[in-house]
Amino acid sequence: MPAATVSALRAAWQLPASPAQALGGEESRINISLRIGDVVLQRINSAVFPQPQRVIENVVQVCQHLADHVADLSYREQVLQPIASKNGDYAALIDGGYWRATRFIPNGINHDRVGSEAVAREGARAIAAFLLALRDFNPRHYQPALPEFHQLSNRIQALREAVQSDRLGRRQHAASVIAGCEHFLPQLEHLEQQCVSGRLPARFVHGDTKIANVLFDQNGAKALAVLDLDTVMVSSLVFDFADMARSYCNPAGEHSVPDAVTVSTPLFRALADGFLSVLDSELVRVEREALLPSTLAITATLAIRFLTDHLNGDHYFRVEQSGDNLRRAAVQLALAQAFEREQKNLRRFLRL
C-alpha cells in the first residue's frame, strides 16, 4: 500500500499515526482491507461492484437496522459500525478508489473451513438470526449492488455461449464437466421459476454465507458477528441456506480434487439444526421444501460459473495456472452430484 494512500486515509478519518496492517486470509479478499488502530478500512473493488458508493450506502442502512434490533434486544450478535469520515460521508474517494471505514471487532477469529458440528450449527444459527432480523428491513433507498446475481438463467446462457464459441479450444478437454453441469440445468431453471412466479417469497438475504463471513469468538465456538454485508439483496432465503450447505458440508474443502469430495451427514444435520432453531416457524412450506433442491442447484451454479470462466479464459476468478477453474468446476460438480445421491438421507433433517 503506497504511503501516500495510507496518509490520505488517516487524514480522511482523522486516524492516529499507528502502523497500518494489511488484512487477509487463506481466501483472497474481493476488497483491499487494512487496519489502523481500531479502525478497518476497505477499498471497494469496482471491477466486482461497479457502483462502490451504492455498496457503502447499502451496508450503512443494513447496519443501522441491525443496531436497532440490538437496542431492543431482538438481535444478540455484534453489528459492524460504519464510521463517517471527517466530511460526514461514509465513503471517501482516495487515489481513484472508494474507501469506507468500520470499527474493528476485537477478539474474533474466522474459520476458512467448517471443522466441527458445533461450528456448523452456530454458523447457521448466526446467519438465520441475521435473516430474521432483516424480516422488517424496509429501507427508503436501497439498490442491489449486484443486480440479477441470483438470476440463474443468466448463468445458463453464459455457459451455453461459452461452450458454443469455444474461443480458446478448451471445450473438448472439459467435455465431461460440461455434460455433468448440463444435467443440473433443469433444476436451476425450476428454482428460478419458483422465484419469478413468487412461489418462493422474496426477502432480504445475505448473499454470501460461507463460513468465513461469520466472526467467531477466540474459542471458535460462539458467533460474534455476521460480516461482509456487500451482497445483501432481495432474493429467496433458500439461496443463503444452499450456499451454507455447499461450503459447510464438504470436509475435503473447495481446494480438493473431485474424488475426495463427500457430503458430511453430521455437518448437514448440524447446519439444518442451527438454521431451523431460528427460522423453523418463519419458513413457509414451499421454502422448506426448496432447501435441499436449491442446495443442488446452487452448488451446480458455482460449478457452471467456474466452468464458464475457464472456457472464456479465466477473466473473473483468479487463477495461478491454467486449469484451476476447470478443477474448481469439477469439485463443485462432484459436490452437487454427492448432494443428489444423498437427498433422501439429508431430507429427514429438514423437518419435512
Side-chain angles (χ1 to χ4, degrees):
M1 181 68 61
T5 300
V6 176
S7 178
L9 289 169
R10 288 197 178 99
W13 273 278
Q14 298 180 302
L15 301 176
S18 52
Q21 173 189 356
L23 301 178
E26 180 181 321
E27 298 291 340
S28 61
R29 301 294 191 247
I30 290 177
N31 303 318
I32 295 173
S33 303
L34 60 115
R35 177 185 171 189
I36 299 177
D38 67 345
V39 174
V40 174
L41 299 133
Q42 284 189 317
R43 176 173 172 161
I44 306 299
N45 187 336
S46 59
V48 176
F49 299 106
Q51 299 187 56
Q53 287 175 291
R54 176 184 295 181
V55 173
I56 295 169
E57 291 168 2
N58 286 349
V59 170
V60 169
Q61 292 180 84
V62 173
C63 292
Q64 290 172 343
H65 175 80
L66 293 175
D68 290 340
H69 278 286
V70 170
D72 67 20
L73 305 180
S74 61
Y75 186 66
R76 73 189 201 192
E77 272 66 55
Q78 296 183 51
V79 178
L80 290 174
Q81 299 179 43
I83 304 171
S85 69
K86 67 179 182 181
N87 295 328
D89 297 324
Y90 287 98
L93 182 61
I94 295 173
D95 292 342
Y98 280 95
W99 288 79
R100 64 177 169 200
T102 56
R103 192 70 60 192
F104 178 72
I105 299 176
N107 304 317
I109 63 170
N110 296 100
H111 295 287
D112 287 314
R113 186 180 301 181
V114 175
S116 71
E117 294 173 47
V119 168
R121 184 175 293 105
E122 177 66 358
R125 184 208 59 77
I127 293 295
F130 175 88
L131 294 173
L132 187 64
L134 290 184
R135 178 177 53 179
D136 59 347
F137 183 45
N138 187 26
R140 292 183 179 180
H141 307 289
Y142 199 97
Q143 295 179 294
L146 296 173
E148 301 183 352
F149 184 74
H150 283 159
Q151 190 165 327
L152 302 182
S153 56
N154 289 348
R155 308 298 187 188
I156 296 172
Q157 182 63 26
L159 174 63
R160 287 172 172 162
E161 290 175 357
V163 170
Q164 179 65 30
S165 63
D166 192 25
R167 294 193 306 249
L168 300 176
R170 292 178 169 183
R171 180 174 60 196
Q172 183 175 356
H173 184 63
S176 63
V177 179
I178 293 170
C181 288
E182 288 175 341
H183 166 77
F184 288 99
L185 296 188
Q187 298 190 47
L188 272 68
E189 292 169 338
H190 179 66
L191 178 56
E192 180 167 282
Q193 181 55 36
Q194 285 185 300
C195 293
V196 171
S197 68
R199 278 181 52 77
L200 283 171
R203 306 174 185 261
F204 274 100
V205 303
H206 184 278
D208 186 9
T209 54
K210 59 179 177 284
I211 194 64
N213 283 336
V214 178
L215 184 70
F216 284 77
D217 66 11
Q218 289 188 323
N219 294 323
K222 182 184 182 301
L224 295 179
V226 174
L227 308 177
D228 195 357
L229 310 183
D230 296 346
T231 53
V232 170
M233 66 184 79
V234 175
S235 185
S236 168
L237 59 72
V238 302
F239 286 90
D240 275 2
F241 178 88
D243 201 36
M244 280 192 293
R246 179 198 64 76
S247 61
Y248 284 26
C249 297
N250 171 21
E254 296 185 4
H255 302 290
S256 62
V257 294
D259 288 346
V261 170
T262 59
V263 171
S264 166
T265 298
L267 290 179
F268 186 90
R269 180 179 59 234
L271 181 154
D273 285 347
F275 191 78
L276 295 176
S277 70
V278 176
L279 292 174
D280 190 30
S281 61
E282 176 72 14
L283 297 175
V284 299
R285 181 72 184 183
V286 68
E287 288 176 310
R288 192 186 301 272
E289 290 176 343
L291 292 176
L292 191 53
S294 69
T295 296
L296 275 66
I298 296 309
T299 305
T301 297
L302 186 56
I304 287 168
R305 293 178 64 196
F306 284 136
L307 174 60
T308 302
D309 200 32
H310 170 74
L311 294 172
N312 286 337
D314 306 311
H315 297 300
Y316 187 85
F317 296 105
R318 185 178 65 84
V319 298
E320 294 182 0
Q321 57 187 3
S322 178
D324 278 355
N325 276 324
L326 182 59
R327 178 192 56 78
R328 293 165 178 161
V331 167
Q332 293 303 311
L333 176 59
L335 185 57
Q337 292 167 338
F339 275 122
E340 188 173 45
R341 290 191 300 270
E342 294 292 328
Q343 279 187 91
K344 185 176 180 180
N345 180 37
L346 300 178
R347 181 180 169 85
R348 60 197 171 104
F349 301 123
L350 298 174
R351 305 178 190 174
L352 290 163

